[in-house]
Amino acid sequence: MMIFTLNVFVVYLNVNILWAADLLRNPDFERRNIINPWLCQSCQASVVDTSYHGDRSVEVTNRLKIYSGLTQSFNVEGGKHIKCRAFIKILNLPHDKMSVKVTMMSIFSTDGITKYEVIGVNKYFQPKYGWTEIGGDLLIPQGTSSVKISIRVDDPSVNYLLDYSSCQYIYHDVNWKTKANQRINNIRKGSLTISLASSVPSSTSGLTVQIKQTKSKFAFGTAIKAALITDTSSTYKAYQDFVYNNFEWAVTENALKWKLMEKTMGNADYAKGVDAVNVLKAHGMKVRGHNMFWGVDGHSPAWLDGLSSTEILQQMHMRVNGMIAHTYGLLEHWDVNNENIHGDYFEQKTGHSNITMEMFNWMHSLEPNVKLFLNDFAVVNTHLSTTAYKSQGKRFKDSGVPIYGMGVQSHFKTSHLDMDVLKYRLDKVAEVGLPIWITELSILDTNANDKATALDDVMTLYFSHPAVEGVLLWGFWDGGVFDKAIALATGSNVTPNAAGTKWNELFHQRFRTNESHSFDGSTSIHTRAFLGEHDLVIKQNGNIIHTETINLDHGGKTATVHLQGSGSSVHVSHVAFG
């Protein structure tokens, strides 16, 4: 029996060693003058005594083509996911460019057909960034036995250093959800002790306490249509009620965007967005600001294109000053320059390569208490920009920019999600060391039951991740979303479908505390409750004799209920907290 147990352990250990083994050889270039089995395709490579990790790296020069660079082939198992990374240092720029694009590419053959697929891309790379991580993940198609990775820079005149590379399988964890629920219990709940104290001996018979959560520390929210939320007729009352009953945070989907607010220069319409914010706050909701600027071409006022760089800078300052003057004290967050890893409009128009960092500084100087965010897509729903976003966030944080968090959009185009890969991508963003907010969650599927299952999985993972502080849906009603297939509620009555019912279950039940305890024969109760605001409802024989509001945080809370009287005339004199 002991031999059998030992054999099982050895097999288990070997399996995990196999999963952890690196697929690349010579990944760190520590052998002097040896780059094998790497090849330098249409370029020259040499090992040099400078590095990101260890003592050496490889320098790539004399590149003849855009695709010229380091490559390595290795064996793989079809149907598996791999994660790859390397650290690159760009040594020069073309004379006419502010940045270059760096891509980690995969090349493989499936069923006799050669395919090229991007593992990860960083569209805007500059030498001053220094050593920067590149990479991503890749699903190996069935029938594929080997993969070649290729490091590419989109201008052949650019030389670079490469170091500390790796490709590994992403381990499939059959117990991911059990572990996630354990993390939820550990990080989303706090200890709560409720004790009774009385100046005279009295029976605790019939005394109970209900712990009823009224607000969550974790943010559960949605994007809203400003016109629908400010409508004073009865037309959209069902929509408004759904918002106020099932969310605690909101973000205006479009009403605060510069292009839509100021269609002609100097004529900004603040009322639509600000009125919506005021209505939401009047209903006790917290609101995110989305967005001050939007870096992707086509999403800024068209009239900016005709201005000089100096004039654009002036208009940008006027945008910040005017917007904050109208929203000061109303918003919790701002997305500063939306989707900046996918668009460098303001960098190009102003000629300032650090203009997004400057935006953060401008806004922070005017309203220091608002938390400022990057916000981007293709970060967790695909592999393309995960590592690029992580690298940008780390650069901002290390530069001392007043950035609070990383906004991750999360637009899933299917309900069939690989949770191991999603966790890997979320963990990669968390390596920045800043809070993560899921700012635009949507799951596109016409099958509401499949969508509900996916929502359960995604919310469980997000709620369990220690870096994630909140999740906002990108709309919920089929009458007010970019695609009806993402809807959680339908029709004029805003009736929840299966996915909407799932959201309500998570928000009102699974991720919220509402429990009752009896003191019968005891003077204290110990429990763990979700973090946030709660009403402690003290009852005697079912009748409420006192209600006290408490805020539970990670440090836990002790509430001592001081009683007076005896028998049926017991009442609460006060509640002390420790």
Side-chain angles (χ1 to χ4, degrees):
M1 187 67 178
M2 292 177 63
I3 294 175
F4 174 76
T5 303
L6 180 60
N7 286 342
V8 170
F9 174 76
V10 171
V11 169
Y12 174 79
L13 181 63
N14 285 342
V15 166
N16 281 278
I17 290 174
L18 175 66
W19 276 107
D22 209 293
L23 299 168
L24 293 178
R25 291 170 291 166
N26 191 19
D28 215 10
F29 307 103
E30 289 302 299
R31 293 180 290 173
R32 189 180 297 276
N33 300 324
I34 297 175
I35 69 166
N36 292 337
W38 293 89
L39 299 175
C40 204
Q41 184 178 9
S42 300
C43 56
Q44 293 181 357
S46 58
V47 177
V48 295
D49 292 330
T50 185
S51 66
Y52 171 80
H53 180 267
D55 298 319
R56 300 178 182 88
S57 64
V58 65
E59 183 176 15
V60 177
T61 59
N62 296 320
R63 299 173 57 242
L64 302 179
K65 304 287 184 181
I66 289 175
Y67 60 77
S68 299
L70 288 173
T71 69
Q72 185 177 150
S73 298
F74 51 90
N75 294 330
V76 292
E77 184 179 349
K80 304 292 186 183
H81 254 99
I82 61 171
K83 55 183 179 181
C84 295
R85 58 117 170 97
F87 283 79
I88 193 170
K89 185 176 183 180
I90 298 298
L91 299 178
N92 62 289
L93 281 178
H95 73 277
D96 58 343
K97 291 185 178 180
M98 182 180 292
S99 61
V100 291
K101 180 170 71 173
V102 178
T103 305
M104 181 181 284
M105 179 73 71
S106 68
I107 306 141
F108 52 86
S109 179
T110 304
D111 299 327
I113 301 174
T114 300
K115 299 181 179 180
Y116 297 79
E117 185 167 342
V118 173
I119 295 175
V121 61
N122 191 318
K123 292 180 68 176
Y124 309 110
F125 219 105
Q126 301 176 39
K128 65 184 178 182
Y129 294 170
W131 286 106
T132 301
E133 185 178 357
I134 59 173
D137 62 83
L138 176 70
L139 174 61
I140 308 298
Q142 293 286 358
T144 302
S145 58
S146 68
V147 169
K148 177 193 288 186
I149 64 166
S150 171
I151 310 300
R152 303 183 173 189
V153 182
D154 71 345
D155 190 298
S157 69
V158 175
N159 303 323
Y160 65 84
L161 300 173
L162 194 79
D163 198 11
Y164 200 43
S165 59
S166 173
C167 285
Q168 296 181 356
Y169 289 111
I170 295 177
Y171 171 65
H172 175 55
D173 188 351
V174 296
N175 297 314
W176 78 265
K177 203 163 194 176
T178 298
K179 294 177 181 177
N181 283 318
Q182 291 171 345
R183 290 194 302 272
I184 288 171
N185 187 62
N186 290 333
I187 68 174
R188 300 299 178 197
K189 291 184 176 182
S191 297
L192 177 61
T193 299
I194 304 169
S195 299
L196 300 179
S198 178
S199 58
V200 295
S202 61
S203 171
T204 60
S205 177
L207 282 175
T208 62
V209 60
Q210 180 185 11
I211 306 165
K212 185 177 181 180
Q213 189 164 11
T214 55
K215 292 182 181 178
S216 177
K217 179 179 177 65
F218 190 90
F220 296 93
T222 184
I224 58 92
K225 297 286 189 183
L228 307 190
I229 213 72
T230 57
D231 183 84
T232 56
S233 71
S234 61
T235 306
Y236 297 109
K237 186 177 186 306
Y239 174 87
Q240 296 164 2
D241 288 345
F242 197 97
V243 170
Y244 302 138
N245 292 336
N246 299 296
F247 306 99
E248 294 177 346
W249 282 71
V251 59
T252 57
E253 186 175 352
N254 293 310
L256 295 180
K257 293 174 179 175
W258 192 7
K259 181 178 181 178
L260 300 178
M261 291 180 62
E262 194 171 353
K263 295 180 181 180
T264 58
M265 187 169 65
N267 296 297
D269 178 10
Y270 294 101
K272 183 176 181 180
V274 175
D275 287 352
V277 172
N278 282 321
V279 169
L280 291 164
K281 289 188 67 66
H283 284 81
M285 302 191 75
K286 294 183 177 181
V287 187
R288 301 190 77 249
H290 176 81
N291 48 56
M292 186 65 76
F293 299 102
W294 194 343
V296 178
D297 287 354
H299 291 290
S300 295
W303 47 264
L304 284 175
D305 292 343
L307 304 182
S308 69
S309 60
T310 299
E311 290 170 331
I312 288 176
L313 276 169
Q314 291 173 343
Q315 291 299 318
M316 292 171 68
H317 278 287
M318 291 176 66
R319 159 69 175 169
V320 172
N321 292 341
M323 195 71 256
I324 291 181
H326 284 82
T327 61
Y328 192 93
L330 298 178
L331 301 173
E332 307 294 324
H333 302 168
W334 267 111
D335 294 329
V336 176
N337 189 12
N338 198 42
E339 300 173 357
N340 185 220
I341 62 171
H342 291 95
D344 66 342
Y345 177 86
F346 292 101
E347 284 79 2
Q348 294 294 336
K349 288 294 184 180
T350 64
H352 290 225
S353 61
N354 287 334
I355 192 65
T356 299
M357 290 185 176
E358 294 178 35
M359 294 173 187
F360 276 81
N361 289 324
W362 300 342
M363 295 173 66
H364 181 72
S365 67
L366 291 175
E367 191 171 9
N369 292 330
V370 170
K371 297 173 180 176
L372 304 179
F373 283 74
L374 293 167
N375 187 55
D376 232 300
F377 68 94
V379 174
V380 294
N381 59 326
T382 79
H383 57 275
L384 296 177
S385 302
T386 310
T387 304
Y389 194 45
K390 175 254 173 140
S391 295
Q392 185 193 35
K394 186 176 186 302
R395 186 169 67 252
F396 274 54
K397 180 186 176 188
D398 292 348
S399 297
V401 172
I403 179 174
Y404 175 82
M406 306 288 286
V408 175
Q409 292 187 11
S410 297
H411 293 295
F412 297 105
K413 296 182 179 180
T414 176
S415 288
H416 305 288
L417 305 175
D418 188 318
M419 301 307 295
D420 301 307
V421 173
L422 179 56
K423 184 177 184 300
Y424 155 72
R425 294 170 184 167
L426 195 61
D427 287 342
K428 177 60 66 176
V429 179
E431 289 176 9
V432 176
L434 293 173
I436 294 172
W437 280 64
I438 308 302
T439 54
E440 302 181 20
L441 173 60
S442 65
I443 302 173
L444 193 145
D445 198 320
T446 56
N447 186 317
N449 291 315
D450 289 347
K451 187 162 50 183
T453 299
L455 183 64
D456 188 296
D457 286 345
V458 169
M459 287 299 297
T460 299
L461 179 63
Y462 286 163
F463 194 53
S464 76
H465 200 286
V468 178
E469 292 186 345
V471 175
L472 279 77
L473 302 177
W474 200 239
F476 61 90
W477 178 46
D478 66 351
V481 288
F482 68 87
D483 191 313
K484 292 182 184 297
I486 76 166
L488 275 62
T490 62
S492 59
N493 291 326
V494 193
T495 304
N497 58 24
T501 300
K502 174 58 66 176
W503 173 271
N504 290 343
E505 175 205 331
L506 295 171
F507 175 68
H508 291 289
Q509 298 174 36
R510 198 189 311 175
F511 297 155
R512 211 167 182 86
T513 299
N514 187 358
E515 58 190 46
S516 295
H517 300 269
S518 173
F519 286 101
D520 200 5
S522 175
T523 58
S524 64
I525 290 167
H526 305 279
T527 189
R528 287 180 61 78
F530 284 110
L531 305 180
E533 194 171 289
H534 302 73
D535 282 343
L536 301 185
V537 184
I538 312 297
K539 301 179 183 179
Q540 184 181 40
N541 298 323
N543 298 313
I544 297 174
I545 60 173
H546 188 79
T547 299
E548 191 80 21
T549 299
I550 67 164
N551 190 57
L552 183 64
D553 56 26
H554 287 102
K557 186 82 72 175
T558 297
T560 302
V561 180
H562 291 265
L563 302 175
Q564 289 185 341
S566 61
S568 60
S569 61
V570 169
H571 65 276
V572 175
S573 63
H574 67 283
V575 178
F577 297 103

